[in-house]
Amino acid sequence: MKTIKRMMDHLYWADGRILDALEESETKNKDLLKLVRHVAVAERVWLSRLQGKGSAQYSLWEEAEDLTAIRTMFEENAEQYRVYIEGLEESELDEMVDYANQSGVPFRTSVRDILSQVLLHGQYHRGQINRALRFESAEPVQVDYITFARL
């Protein structure tokens, strides 16, 4: 549990750093904004599944106009994940969660694998965002775990 908690703390930190970089760049790139929104919504989708709720109401690939709304979503996600993780026992990590994906297809996945998906999915897309920032001649931001661990 200690490792998962630490990695989730990294996720919250990295989400904030990537948003700061996007705000600083003043990008108007709709694809880039759509991608960062996707990360926030995906975190919310997986959290809903972990909480035993449906996720069909969330659209993963909508346009995004405003980083403020995305930041709010990331902050709400972090708060709700913290509550969820604090109430989670080590023995519950291997419990299975039944859910339907956004297309309604049923799946069954362990809590451990869902949390791993959340952690890895965000880092993957933050890398894409940083690359796009570089193409826009903006400064990418360091979001590596080891940088976080040295704080």
Side-chain angles (χ1 to χ4, degrees):
M1 279 302 296
K2 183 179 178 183
T3 300
I4 288 175
K5 287 179 181 180
R6 185 77 170 140
M7 291 179 72
M8 290 301 292
D9 286 341
H10 168 260
L11 176 133
Y12 314 140
W13 172 83
D15 285 345
R17 300 256 309 162
I18 209 74
L19 280 170
D20 291 346
L22 287 167
E23 287 173 350
E24 188 174 305
S25 77
E26 298 180 354
T27 185
K28 301 297 182 221
N29 181 324
K30 289 189 182 281
D31 290 333
L32 196 47
L33 296 175
K34 187 176 186 179
L35 185 56
V36 72
R37 182 193 173 278
H38 167 78
V39 174
V41 174
E43 287 178 10
R44 173 114 356 133
V45 164
W46 285 111
L47 180 63
S48 293
R49 293 170 181 168
L50 288 167
Q51 294 171 329
K53 301 175 187 174
S55 62
Q57 71 273 27
Y58 299 113
S59 175
L60 287 166
W61 289 106
E62 277 184 16
E63 295 290 323
E65 301 293 327
D66 178 7
L67 284 174
T68 303
I70 297 168
R71 184 177 294 278
T72 298
M73 189 181 305
F74 274 129
E75 289 169 354
E76 290 170 354
N77 290 347
E79 182 179 323
Q80 290 181 42
Y81 269 107
R82 282 186 180 103
V83 169
Y84 177 80
I85 298 287
E86 283 305 313
L88 192 63
E89 299 292 329
E90 180 86 28
S91 61
E92 295 173 299
L93 288 172
D94 294 316
E95 288 184 4
M96 300 304 285
V97 176
D98 294 306
Y99 61 93
N101 71 5
Q102 299 312 97
S103 300
V105 178
F107 284 91
R108 184 174 172 90
T109 306
S110 72
V111 170
R112 181 185 315 273
D113 286 345
I114 289 173
L115 291 172
S116 296
Q117 167 64 21
V118 171
L119 293 162
L120 296 170
H121 176 262
Q123 194 66 355
Y124 169 76
H125 286 307
R126 284 187 291 276
Q128 291 178 315
I129 292 164
N130 264 333
R131 182 167 186 203
L133 283 170
R134 184 173 302 282
F135 283 141
E136 291 191 1
S137 299
E139 191 63 32
V141 65
Q142 182 58 260
V143 292
D144 284 349
Y145 178 82
I146 200 67
T147 301
F148 166 77
R150 291 179 179 146
L151 297 176

